[in-house]
């Protein structure tokens, strides 16, 4: 009986153990052993991308910068040309709110302009050409100017300046100056070619033409009473100027009988031109002129105004005209300038109107456009139908509720060299050259500065920002990289639980190589890890303890450097650089491996749903359902001309955002472009887990063999025990 009971207990124990072991084995097979697919993938070679697919994208919206260049104001009408977007005509009767009457880009790059009567003369260059043309407009109706004629001026000679007088057009080039008879505006006729070395600006004063030559260090004076046969009266080389600096004349104008010359080395030079055949030096006023594309001198109410593209507008008291004295300076960018009444009209990217009734207190009345030549979009975030753009010239906000017509609702140049932006609720973080600025964007059209952060103490030394590179926000912490003079490249963690008052928590400094950064994004749990690109190496930090980030792993590329962008999703790191795009398996931080690679410039990358997108000179979209074998979907290359201009590849894509079936692209030069995609962004990238289910019979057999073997041994022991009892 005892023996039978023991046998029953043994059998009961046997089957209980079978069930228990079966359960454990099942879990084991579904997790550790079952992840055989991952083990097998470790042995696979790197996948090369297949890019054989036709473009299926369509551009539906475009916001492009108006890069205003030269300007003429006549009868409260401002005629402005933009190097990128053509001719703009404004009614400036209301100086506080100029009204746009006309905008068109009929013909490539716009270089220079002049006006006489009802005709506007513009020098322009077609896209991808070194040829120069003269386009004549009839502007009797400024709201509807009509192109009268287009005439080839030169196939190779660079046209520098243009002036019009009595139906004659005079223009200077790199090889001399030339004259056209335009009495018949439909058929302009070349009547004179005066060849010489490079000539620059031309100023007409009755029957006399004054032409500056920067490289010949001279002013040439011509009698143009017979336009088809100009007579050289003198070549003034500035030998009597009391300075050791070389004479480099640029802009010329005349008031009374005095010639006023802008020289970037000497300043303002006053010359007696009573006898045009014999110019004599009178005086010069040193001015810190840096470099101006077209300096000009305007005389308004006994004050001279001289523009410079770096140092703004210089103000000089005329006095008796021969010895002006420095009065002051108005800080702004002012490449081109003209005056009318008591107002200055300046351009340098923007079109701005200044009230100069009180030279000691100049007032900015209005401004249109994006300031400076620094209008390349560097970074972009989108929220609630608004696009927030970090541009070299500041912060730009676009209303994109109508995708086909993005509208500029805010621009500020307070954040020069802005390079990165990020959102946290109603707060926008803008990383510029020296400061991280926090703005309240409850009203996106009127951002309000509420806080800032500009330095962090490292090794007991205050470490100031010199250039903020990237910022990413995760939870209540901001992770950013920046460059500083003291420590080179730095990875910094900020506590932004109270956004207006960021608090530095910890930092890790690298060297002086280019650095990029992005924290884990999307819904993937990254176990408090941060991923930082430094040169050709990807660094993985454990940031669970925010006060003490630690490097736990690195991965160095052989032919992918410098790393420019990083996105982490579903256990994969998508890494972009100027010479390639790579996908890394980072499920095990200590065993990072290369999964696939594409030898394509990937300046910017983004991941959304099951799709990844890379871009620089072209957008390329991939289905990442299997990251080991990315499936190329489509590409978009802005090969069409934009306002007559081919896109400049040196200003490629800086940021791409995918939403629904649209790609929002931030360009360096082409502005902000919206593209409709052939797919809708859905799904997600699967984590790297492949379950291998062992055959049911094997699951049963293994525990039975193990348990039976153990129990046979136990039964013998039990029988021996019972006998002895």
């Amino acid at each position: 009986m005892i023996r039978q009971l023991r046998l029953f207990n043994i059998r009961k124990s046997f089957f209980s153990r079978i069930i228990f072991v079966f359960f454990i084995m099942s879990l084991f097979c579904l997790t550790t052993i079952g992840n055989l697919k991952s083990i097998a993938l470790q042995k696979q070679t790197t996948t090369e991308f297949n890019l054989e697919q036709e473009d299926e994208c369509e551009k539906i919206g475009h916001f492009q910068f108006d890069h205003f260049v030269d300007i003429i104001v006549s009868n409260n009408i401002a005629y402005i040309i933009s190097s990128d977007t053509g001719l703009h005509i404004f009614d400036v009767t209301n100086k506080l709110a100029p009204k746009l009457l006309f905008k068109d880009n009929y013909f490539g790059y716009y270089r220079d302009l002049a006006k006489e009567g009802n005709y506007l003369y513009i020098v322009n260059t077609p896209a991808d050409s070194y040829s120069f043309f003269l386009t004549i407009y009839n502007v009797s109706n400024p709201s509807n100017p009509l192109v009268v004629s287009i005439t080839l001026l030169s196939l190779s000679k660079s046209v520098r300046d243009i002036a019009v007088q009595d139906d004659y057009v005079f223009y200077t080039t790199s090889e001399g100056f030339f004259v056209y008879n335009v009495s018949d505006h439909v058929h302009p006729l070349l009547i004179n070619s005066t060849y010489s070395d490079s000539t620059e600006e031309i100023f007409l004063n009755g029957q006399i033409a004054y032409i500056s030559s920067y490289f010949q260090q001279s002013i040439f004076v011509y009698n143009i009473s017979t336009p088809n046969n100009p007579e050289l009266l003198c070549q003034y080389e500035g030998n009597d100027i009391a300075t050791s600096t070389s004479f480099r004349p640029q802009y010329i104008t005349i008031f009374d009988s005095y010639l006023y010359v802008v020289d970037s080395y000497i300043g303002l030079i006053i010359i007696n031109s009573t006898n045009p055949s014999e110019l004599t030096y009178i005086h010069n006023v040193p001015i810190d002129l840096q470099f101006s594309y077209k300096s000009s001198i305007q005389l308004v109410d006994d004050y001279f105004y001289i523009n410079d593209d770096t140092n703004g507008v210089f103000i000089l008291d005329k006095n008796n005209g021969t010895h002006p004295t420095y009065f002051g300076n108005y800080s702004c960018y002012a490449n081109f300038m003209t005056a009318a009444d008591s107002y200055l009209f300046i351009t340098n990217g923007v079109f701005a109107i200044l009230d100069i009734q009180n030279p000691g207190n100049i007032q900015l009345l209005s401004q249109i456009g994006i300031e400076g030549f620094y209008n390349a979009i560097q970074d972009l975030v989108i929220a609630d139908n608004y696009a927030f753009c970090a541009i070299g010239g500041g912060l730009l906000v676009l209303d994109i509720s109508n995708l086909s017509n993005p509208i500029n609702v805010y621009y500020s140049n307070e954040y020069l060299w802005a390079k990165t932006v990020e959102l946290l609720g109603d707060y926008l973080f803008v990383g510029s050259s020296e400061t991280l600025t926090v703005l309240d964007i409850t009203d996106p059209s009127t951002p309000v500065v509420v806080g800032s952060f500009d330095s962090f103490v490292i090794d007991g030394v205050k470490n100031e920002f010199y250039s903020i590179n990237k910022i990413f926000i995760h939870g209540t912490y901001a992770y950013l990289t920046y460059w500083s003079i003291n420590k080179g490249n730095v990875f910094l963690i900020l506590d932004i639980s109270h956004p207006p008052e960021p608090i530095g928590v910890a930092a890790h400094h690298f060297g002086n190589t280019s650095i990029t950064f992005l924290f884990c994004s999307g819904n993937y749990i990254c176990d408090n890890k941060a991923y930082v690109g430094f040169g050709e190496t990807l660094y993985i930090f454990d940031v669970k303890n925010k006060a003490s980030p630690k490097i736990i792993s690195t991965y160095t590329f052989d032919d992918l450097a410098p790393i420019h962008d990083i996105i982490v999703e579903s256990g994969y790191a998508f890494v972009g650089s100027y010479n390639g795009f790579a996908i890394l398996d980072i499920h095990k931080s200590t065993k990072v491996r290369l999964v696939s690679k594409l030898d394509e410039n990937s300046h910017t990358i983004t991941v959304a749903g099951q799709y990844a997108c890379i871009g620089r000179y072209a957008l390329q979209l991939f289905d990442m359902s299997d990251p080991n074998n990315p499936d190329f979907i489509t590409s978009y290359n802005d090969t069409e001309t934009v306002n007559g201009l081919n896109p400049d590849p040196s200003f490629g894509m800086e940021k791409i955002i995918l939403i629904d079936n649209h790609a929002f692209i931030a360009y360096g030069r082409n502005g902000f472009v919206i593209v409709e995609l052939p797919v809708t962004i859905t799904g997600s990238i699967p984590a790297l887990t492949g379950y291998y289910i062992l055959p049911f019979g094997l699951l049963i057999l293994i525990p039975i063999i193990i348990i039976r073997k153990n129990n046979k041994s136990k039964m013998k022991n039990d029988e021996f025990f019972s006998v002895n009892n």
Side-chain angles (χ1 to χ4, degrees):
M1 179 69 181
I2 294 174
R3 181 179 179 84
Q4 290 178 348
L5 180 61
R6 286 175 177 164
L7 290 174
F8 174 79
N9 290 333
I10 290 171
R11 292 189 184 101
K12 182 178 179 181
S13 175
F14 173 75
F15 287 110
S16 298
R17 293 178 185 181
I18 287 178
I19 294 172
F20 176 76
V21 175
F22 177 83
F23 176 74
I24 297 300
M25 290 286 293
S26 298
L27 292 179
F28 183 72
C29 292
L30 289 174
T31 54
T32 308
I33 296 178
N35 208 357
L36 297 180
K37 182 178 178 182
S38 176
I39 297 173
L41 287 174
Q42 298 285 348
K43 300 179 181 179
Q44 290 183 357
T45 57
T46 302
T47 302
E48 295 296 333
F49 289 58
N50 180 9
L51 301 181
E52 296 180 1
Q53 181 77 21
E54 294 295 328
D55 291 2
E56 298 174 342
C57 301
E58 178 184 359
K59 181 166 68 177
I60 60 173
H62 188 196
F63 174 85
Q64 189 179 21
F65 301 105
D66 292 321
H67 184 183
F68 297 124
V69 181
D70 207 353
I71 180 171
I72 290 175
V73 177
S74 174
N75 299 322
N76 279 323
I77 301 296
Y79 303 88
I80 308 174
I81 56 174
S82 165
S83 60
D84 293 336
T85 57
L87 173 63
H88 301 65
I89 302 178
F90 290 90
D91 182 337
V92 294
T93 303
N94 182 355
K95 305 299 187 295
L96 295 174
K99 180 182 178 182
L100 180 65
L101 301 177
F102 176 83
K103 177 181 178 180
D104 184 38
N105 189 354
Y106 187 78
F107 198 51
Y109 290 101
Y110 283 53
R111 302 288 188 177
D112 205 350
L113 82 164
K115 183 179 181 295
E116 184 179 56
N118 289 326
Y119 291 93
L120 194 66
Y121 303 83
I122 296 178
V123 175
N124 41 24
T125 305
D128 298 329
S129 172
Y130 293 100
S131 301
F132 289 80
F133 289 78
L134 173 66
T135 303
I136 302 178
Y137 288 83
N138 184 327
V139 291
S140 53
N141 179 2
S143 299
N144 186 32
L146 301 175
V147 175
V148 177
S149 63
I150 300 175
T151 305
L152 175 65
L153 299 180
S154 169
L155 289 173
S156 59
K157 297 183 291 293
S158 176
V159 176
R160 305 290 175 74
D161 194 22
I162 182 175
V164 183
Q165 180 175 279
D166 300 332
D167 287 333
Y168 291 98
V169 171
F170 300 79
Y171 65 93
T172 57
T173 75
S174 55
E175 297 180 8
F177 85 97
F178 303 84
V179 185
Y180 267 84
N181 183 333
V182 291
S183 55
D184 181 356
H185 294 92
V186 178
H187 301 99
L189 179 65
L190 178 65
I191 61 172
N192 178 75
S193 301
T194 302
Y195 290 94
S196 67
D197 289 336
S198 180
T199 54
E200 307 294 334
E201 299 288 325
I202 182 169
F203 181 81
L204 304 179
N205 184 38
Q207 303 300 311
I208 305 297
Y210 298 87
I211 299 175
S212 66
S213 177
Y214 179 91
F215 293 102
Q216 295 186 73
Q217 303 181 38
S218 299
I219 295 175
F220 296 91
V221 185
Y222 286 89
N223 182 337
I224 55 171
S225 56
T226 306
N228 61 349
N229 187 29
E231 177 189 0
L232 179 63
L233 299 179
C234 79
Q235 178 180 350
Y236 177 73
E237 298 178 319
N239 295 325
D240 55 345
I241 299 177
T243 176
S244 59
T245 305
S246 300
F247 181 48
R248 299 284 187 177
Q250 290 174 283
Y251 183 80
I252 303 171
T253 191
I254 287 182
F255 296 109
D256 300 326
S257 296
Y258 301 110
L259 192 67
Y260 294 85
V261 181
V262 173
D263 184 303
S264 58
Y265 290 89
I266 299 174
L268 177 64
I269 303 171
I270 299 94
I271 296 173
N272 188 335
S273 61
T274 304
N275 180 4
S277 300
E278 188 177 351
L279 303 182
T280 55
Y281 165 78
I282 297 177
H283 182 63
N284 73 277
V285 181
I287 301 175
D288 185 20
L289 295 170
Q290 295 298 313
F291 177 82
S292 187
Y293 287 84
K294 191 174 183 180
S295 290
S296 66
I297 307 169
Q298 305 295 325
L299 178 61
V300 180
D301 299 332
D302 292 328
Y303 287 91
F304 289 115
Y305 298 86
I306 303 173
N307 66 293
D308 179 70
D309 69 340
T310 301
N311 291 328
V313 178
F314 292 94
I315 309 166
L316 286 77
D317 191 324
K318 177 184 176 183
N319 292 326
N320 61 359
T322 59
H323 289 72
T325 55
Y326 179 79
F327 179 81
N329 172 266
Y330 179 80
S331 180
C332 65
Y333 293 101
N335 272 356
F336 302 85
M337 180 179 70
T338 190
D341 301 325
S342 296
Y343 302 96
L344 286 182
F345 302 83
I346 64 175
T347 62
N348 178 32
V350 300
F351 164 41
I353 302 177
L354 305 178
D355 183 341
I356 56 173
Q357 295 182 65
N358 180 359
N361 186 27
I362 294 177
Q363 300 293 317
L364 174 65
L365 299 182
S366 57
Q367 176 174 296
I368 298 174
I370 308 301
E371 184 161 16
F373 292 88
Y374 318 112
N375 52 20
I377 300 179
Q378 301 291 323
D379 197 10
L380 168 72
V381 289
I382 293 177
D384 299 329
N385 287 323
Y386 288 94
F388 300 87
C389 308
I391 64 175
L395 174 66
L396 172 70
V397 183
L398 301 175
D399 182 339
I400 57 173
S401 53
N402 181 356
L403 296 180
S404 62
N405 184 32
I407 299 173
N408 176 10
V409 296
Y410 174 81
Y411 166 71
S412 173
N413 63 356
E414 294 297 319
Y415 320 100
L416 284 178
W417 302 113
K419 194 171 183 181
T420 181
V421 287
E422 185 63 292
L423 283 167
L424 178 63
D426 288 331
Y427 294 99
L428 180 71
F429 292 75
V430 181
S432 56
S433 57
E434 298 177 351
T435 305
L436 176 66
T437 305
V438 186
L439 298 97
D440 185 328
I441 55 166
T442 304
D443 180 358
S445 64
T446 312
V448 178
V449 176
V450 294
S452 64
F453 189 88
D454 60 8
S455 63
F456 185 71
V457 176
I458 301 177
D459 298 335
V461 178
K462 184 178 181 180
N463 194 252
E464 296 181 340
F465 295 165
Y466 187 81
S467 177
I468 298 175
N469 191 43
K470 287 268 189 173
I471 178 173
F472 189 83
I473 293 174
H474 185 78
T476 57
Y477 290 91
Y479 303 81
L480 65 106
T481 55
Y482 68 93
W483 191 85
S484 70
I485 295 177
N486 296 333
K487 292 294 183 179
N489 291 287
V490 179
F491 165 44
L492 175 66
I493 302 177
L494 298 175
D495 182 340
I496 53 171
S497 52
H498 181 49
E501 298 179 356
I503 300 173
V505 177
H508 177 93
H509 61 88
F510 292 81
N512 292 314
T513 308
S514 176
I515 185 172
T516 58
F517 162 78
L518 194 65
F519 197 75
C520 298
S521 62
N523 297 319
Y524 179 72
I525 304 302
C526 55
D527 297 326
N528 287 305
K529 295 182 181 65
Y531 300 82
V532 180
F534 179 64
E536 69 279 2
T537 301
L538 174 67
Y539 289 80
I540 304 178
F541 285 82
D542 184 337
V543 292
K544 185 175 183 179
N545 181 358
K546 304 295 188 292
S548 182
K550 297 179 180 179
I551 297 175
I552 58 174
S553 181
T554 63
Y555 184 89
T556 300
F557 293 93
D558 294 330
D559 55 355
L560 196 75
I563 296 173
H564 192 271
D565 205 359
I566 306 165
I567 296 286
V568 173
E569 187 68 54
S570 300
Y572 296 95
F574 300 84
V575 183
S577 79
Y578 292 105
N579 58 355
F581 169 54
I583 302 175
L584 299 176
D585 172 9
I586 56 170
H587 285 77
K588 292 184 178 180
S589 301
T590 56
K591 293 184 179 181
V592 177
R593 71 180 184 88
L594 181 64
V595 174
S596 49
K597 184 177 179 296
L598 172 66
D599 294 327
E600 195 79 15
N601 192 321
S602 305
H603 184 79
T604 180
I605 54 180
T606 188
V607 175
Q610 66 193 54
Y611 298 94
C613 188
I614 66 173
R616 180 52 173 170
Y617 306 133
L619 175 153
Q620 297 183 55
L621 183 68
F622 298 89
D623 186 331
M624 289 292 172
S625 298
D626 180 2
N628 298 275
N629 294 284
D631 184 15
F632 179 68
I633 301 298
T634 189
S635 66
Y636 172 77
N637 187 358
D638 204 343
T639 53
E640 64 176 283
T641 58
V642 180
N643 292 321
L645 302 176
N646 285 332
D648 188 337
S650 63
F651 295 87
M653 300 175 184
E654 295 289 343
K655 184 68 176 286
I656 302 170
I657 293 178
L658 303 177
I659 300 177
D660 296 330
N661 63 328
H662 296 103
F664 299 84
I665 307 171
Y667 274 95
R669 176 165 179 143
N670 275 358
F672 177 74
V673 171
I674 302 173
V675 173
E676 187 172 23
L677 302 172
V679 296
T680 299
I681 305 303
T682 59
S684 61
I685 298 174
L688 187 57
T689 52
Y691 302 113
Y692 181 80
I693 308 298
L694 293 175
F696 183 79
L698 185 58
L699 288 177
I700 295 294
L701 182 61
I702 292 175
I704 288 177
I705 293 172
I706 295 174
I707 295 175
R708 283 184 63 85
K709 182 176 181 180
N710 291 335
N711 277 281
K712 283 182 179 179
S713 175
K714 187 172 182 180
M715 285 176 63
K716 291 180 179 179
N717 292 333
D718 286 343
E719 290 173 352
F720 177 78
F721 183 78
S722 64
V723 170
N724 284 279
N725 281 279

